[in-house]
Amino acid sequence: MSSDDLKNIIDKIKEGEVKMRPKSYFAAKTILMVVGLVLAILVALFLSSYVFFHLKASGAFGLAGFGLDGTKDLLLSLPWLILFVVLVFVALLLWFAEHYPIAYRNPLLYSVLGILLIVLVGGYAVANTPLHPYFFKVFAPPQKAGLMHMFYARPKRVPPRNGLVGHLKEIGQGYYLIINPNGAQFKIVINNDTNFVPEEVDFEIGDVVLIHGKISGREVEAWGISKINPGGPSIYFLGDH
Amino acid sequence: MELSDEQLVEKTQKGDVESFRFLVERYKPKLTRYGSRLLFNKADLEDVVQEIFIKCYRNIKSFDVSRKFSSWVYRIAHNEFINHGKKFSRQLIDYFDFEVLLPKQAAPDNPQEDFDRKQLKEILEKSLAKLDAKYREALVLYYLEGLDYKEIAEILRVPTGTVGIRIMRGKKQLKQYLEPTT
């Protein structure tokens, strides 16, 4: 840079062509960053807690009790699109965090793990508050519409893979009849392939149960059956009936 | 008595343009030298350095005078050089670099062990273009600009351990280039 360039810079400043940004500009920028950060945290927590709520409400969480096959079906029942959006928000939070010395002075892995932990543990905590059951009651009814309705109607609309939640209508010899949340009746066939039937549990008419099995039309060849506790987070107990 | 960088910034923040002139005079040779070692296209170097000072002036009220001005101005320069040189930026923006993700603690640098510092500077000047950008910048800031690990870490916004690793690996690369000729 020549002395002409230096003169050029100073002249531009003196002539007012280049001006200092006021402190209020940086204060506003900081406030916007903080607001953005808080909003990103809230959205990430809401979405991750929704994933937990969805798994509980649809009965998918219960599939983990049916061994390896059940666990595999639980994983395949995850709302992957929503999880992807959660990951996008995790990346956004990481971008926010990397503007602050506490993040960039430490290994990136710590920030990644810290943010994931906040989103997962925070999400699980929020999922155990009455927030989602309340939203479910407000937005799930069929007469509602919009994004929130799509969200909260989903646990009822999308059953877990190879899973079925319903209440017992009839107990017969080698079969049960259950009614699913949409009012459809299913015949549950109990045979030698039914491995997970708790012997100590006495099923009674009206019990809410989770079936894991091969669903063909309105008949289910059961691999496992378990009772869902009343008062639990299943859609059956959330008041949409 | 000569005023410190931070004192000059404080006066500039209050509207004293002459203090900013002193800062420009003080940092102009350093930033030009820094840029000349990072940019392959030297034709625009003067314009880029001018742009750095203009940005510096525009944002000077965001500078906290309790911190080091040199780290702040080098950070602006680092960003400008990255934005300027596309080839350079492709090599440098390596966000999910394992050295940043989980850097191991590098041993404190001791140039006497393998290279004489003066000799290393000469070799570095000659071999800059051959080095990976991320190693080149760390070596330039450490050996040629005389900054310490902490300052370099602030400029590059990476952990101090990452700076140590980059310097160590950069030196290894330098050695590899030298081996066929020695």
Side-chain angles (χ1 to χ4, degrees):
Chain A
M1 189 193 276
S2 63
S3 57
D4 284 350
D5 292 323
L6 170 63
K7 193 176 172 295
N8 197 11
I9 296 172
I10 302 301
D11 285 349
K12 276 182 180 173
I13 292 170
K14 283 183 174 167
E15 286 161 13
E17 204 180 312
V18 176
K19 287 180 182 164
M20 267 189 245
R21 285 176 173 140
K23 275 205 164 175
S24 55
Y25 171 88
F26 300 104
K29 205 173 159 186
T30 307
I31 291 168
L32 273 178
M33 281 284 282
V34 172
V35 169
L37 180 69
V38 171
L39 280 177
I41 290 174
L42 289 178
V43 174
L45 283 178
F46 176 78
L47 291 176
S48 75
S49 63
Y50 172 81
V51 171
F52 286 113
F53 167 78
H54 181 277
L55 292 177
K56 284 179 177 178
S58 68
F61 250 153
L63 292 177
F66 296 123
L68 261 180
D69 286 340
T71 308
K72 194 180 89 186
D73 285 333
L74 163 63
L75 291 176
L76 292 170
S77 304
L78 289 170
W80 286 104
L81 184 64
I82 296 165
L83 275 176
F84 174 74
V85 179
V86 170
L87 283 181
V88 169
F89 273 89
V90 166
L92 187 67
L93 285 172
L94 195 61
W95 178 83
F96 273 116
E98 288 299 307
H99 282 80
Y100 297 95
I102 192 169
Y104 68 72
R105 281 179 188 160
N106 289 299
L108 188 62
L109 188 65
Y110 294 178
S111 304
V112 174
L113 292 179
I115 290 168
L116 279 177
L117 200 71
I118 290 169
V119 171
L120 287 177
V121 174
Y124 186 77
V126 175
N128 285 302
T129 67
L131 180 80
H132 289 296
Y134 171 76
F135 281 163
F136 182 85
K137 278 175 194 165
V138 173
F139 296 108
Q143 63 271 26
K144 299 279 178 177
L147 187 69
M148 290 295 266
H149 171 70
M150 277 168 66
F151 253 53
Y152 287 97
R154 197 178 187 277
K156 194 170 163 185
R157 194 169 39 82
V158 186
R161 189 184 146 92
N162 293 327
L164 184 69
V165 176
H167 71 259
L168 272 176
K169 188 188 170 195
E170 188 182 320
I171 299 174
Q173 192 66 42
Y175 75 91
Y176 296 147
L177 287 183
I178 71 164
I179 309 290
N180 83 349
N182 297 313
Q185 181 174 291
F186 285 79
K187 185 181 180 186
I188 313 300
V189 179
I190 312 289
N191 57 26
N192 290 339
D193 291 332
T194 314
N195 297 317
F196 291 93
V197 183
E199 287 172 6
E200 69 276 14
V201 178
D202 285 330
F203 291 104
E204 288 172 18
I205 304 297
D207 280 350
V208 177
V209 291
L210 170 66
I211 313 292
H212 183 225
K214 188 181 174 187
I215 303 169
S216 319
R218 291 292 175 87
E219 196 168 295
V220 183
E221 192 186 309
W223 301 324
I225 178 166
S226 69
K227 203 167 169 177
I228 296 177
N229 292 328
S234 162
I235 39 180
Y236 257 96
F237 306 113
L238 291 171
D240 184 36
H241 299 279
Chain B
M1 199 181 80
E2 196 177 60
L3 292 176
S4 69
D5 292 348
E6 292 72 26
Q7 284 170 319
L8 286 172
V9 172
E10 210 167 356
K11 291 182 84 174
T12 307
Q13 286 173 337
K14 287 173 184 160
D16 181 6
V17 180
E18 285 310 303
S19 295
F20 188 69
R21 180 200 292 275
F22 287 128
L23 280 171
V24 176
E25 279 175 354
R26 203 173 276 180
Y27 278 91
K28 181 183 71 176
K30 293 178 185 177
L31 297 186
T32 308
R33 195 175 56 215
Y34 175 42
S36 72
R37 283 154 179 162
L38 298 182
L39 292 177
F40 292 110
N41 180 8
K42 307 278 192 287
D44 302 332
L45 181 59
E46 289 191 353
D47 290 341
V48 181
V49 174
Q50 191 173 336
E51 191 53 38
I52 291 167
F53 286 116
I54 287 173
K55 281 209 168 153
C56 185
Y57 186 78
R58 279 203 180 115
N59 296 302
I60 202 127
K61 283 199 173 170
S62 71
F63 177 71
D64 173 4
V65 288
S66 65
R67 298 179 76 175
K68 241 183 149 176
F69 176 74
S70 58
S71 303
W72 188 72
V73 75
Y74 269 102
R75 172 72 193 166
I76 294 173
H78 163 84
N79 286 339
E80 277 303 303
F81 292 137
I82 279 186
N83 290 337
H84 187 74
K86 279 186 181 170
K87 186 184 174 198
F88 178 62
S89 67
R90 270 205 304 274
Q91 291 177 10
L92 201 74
I93 302 173
D94 199 357
Y95 197 58
F96 289 99
D97 177 358
F98 198 75
E99 292 159 11
V100 180
L101 198 64
L102 190 63
K104 287 177 189 167
Q105 205 60 43
D109 189 65
N110 181 6
Q112 293 300 326
E113 269 182 27
D114 37 15
F115 282 112
D116 175 68
R117 199 179 176 106
K118 200 179 160 193
Q119 191 193 357
L120 192 135
K121 275 174 145 183
E122 284 169 14
I123 297 164
L124 185 57
E125 291 275 18
K126 286 177 196 163
S127 317
L128 277 174
K130 293 179 191 169
L131 287 168
D132 287 353
K134 61 181 178 183
Y135 301 142
R136 181 169 67 236
E137 193 172 23
L139 288 172
V140 165
L141 289 170
Y142 187 67
Y143 286 106
L144 304 180
E145 298 304 318
L147 303 180
D148 61 32
Y149 278 23
K150 211 177 155 192
E151 276 181 292
I152 299 170
E154 283 295 313
I155 294 161
L156 303 180
R157 294 210 165 163
V158 294
T160 315
T162 304
V163 175
I165 290 167
R166 286 186 181 175
I167 288 172
M168 188 183 74
R169 292 196 178 153
K171 276 163 61 181
K172 267 188 189 167
Q173 262 196 7
L174 273 182
K175 270 185 173 180
Q176 282 170 8
Y177 297 134
L178 287 175
E179 268 164 12
T181 57
T182 51

